[in-house]
Amino acid sequence: MKRSLLTPRWLLLHALFVVAFIATCFLAVWQWERAHDAGGSFQNLGYALQWPLFGVFTLFLWVRMARMTLHDEAEATSGQAEDTAGQEPAEEPERAAARAGRPRPLVPPQAPSVDPDEDPELAAYNRYLAELNEAEGR
C-alpha cells in the first residue's frame, strides 16, 4: 500500500467509507425485516434492494478515489524525473501552470489597442466598452 493512502486525510476517508458501507448494510437488513412485518409493503422491499446498491456504489467511489490518488502520485514522480533530465523544451507560462494543476487566471491579459485607421468599427466598439467599464466603476 502506498504511503499517500495513509495520510490523516485518507485515514478519515477510509473510516468514512467503511462507516457508510456498514450503514447501508444495516439499513438494507432493517428494510428487509420491515418489508416482512405486518405493516410492511413493497416500498420497504424496494428500499431493501436499493441499500445494497448504495453500499456497492460507496465501495466503487472508494476504490476510484484511491486509484486516482495513486495515479496522480505516480504521474507527479515521473514528471519530476523528466524535469530533472532537462530534455523538455521551455513551455509557455500558461501551459506550464495548467500542467502543474493551477487554474488559468480569471482575467485574461489586456488585448493590444486597435488603431482606428486599421479597423474603425472595432475601435468604436472598444471605446464603447471602455465607456461602459468607466461608468460601472463610478
Side-chain angles (χ1 to χ4, degrees), residues 71-88:
H71 177 62
D72 290 346
E73 181 182 279
E75 201 172 84
T77 57
S78 68
Q80 288 175 354
E82 288 177 7
D83 289 345
T84 57
Q87 297 174 356
E88 245 181 64

Side-chain angles (χ1 to χ4, degrees), residues 48-69:
L49 298 175
Q50 274 185 335
W51 280 115
L53 293 176
F54 293 147
V56 169
F57 184 69
T58 301
L59 291 178
F60 169 76
L61 286 178
W62 187 10
V63 170
R64 180 82 169 140
M65 285 179 61
R67 283 185 179 175
M68 286 174 53
T69 300

Side-chain angles (χ1 to χ4, degrees), residues 30-42 44-45 48:
W30 172 65
Q31 286 292 339
W32 183 262
E33 291 173 357
R34 179 84 173 122
H36 292 2
D37 283 346
S41 65
F42 282 112
N44 296 110
L45 187 60

Side-chain angles (χ1 to χ4, degrees), residues 4-13:
S4 62
L5 296 181
L6 297 175
T7 61
R9 175 182 177 263
W10 263 102
L11 290 175
L12 184 63
L13 282 172

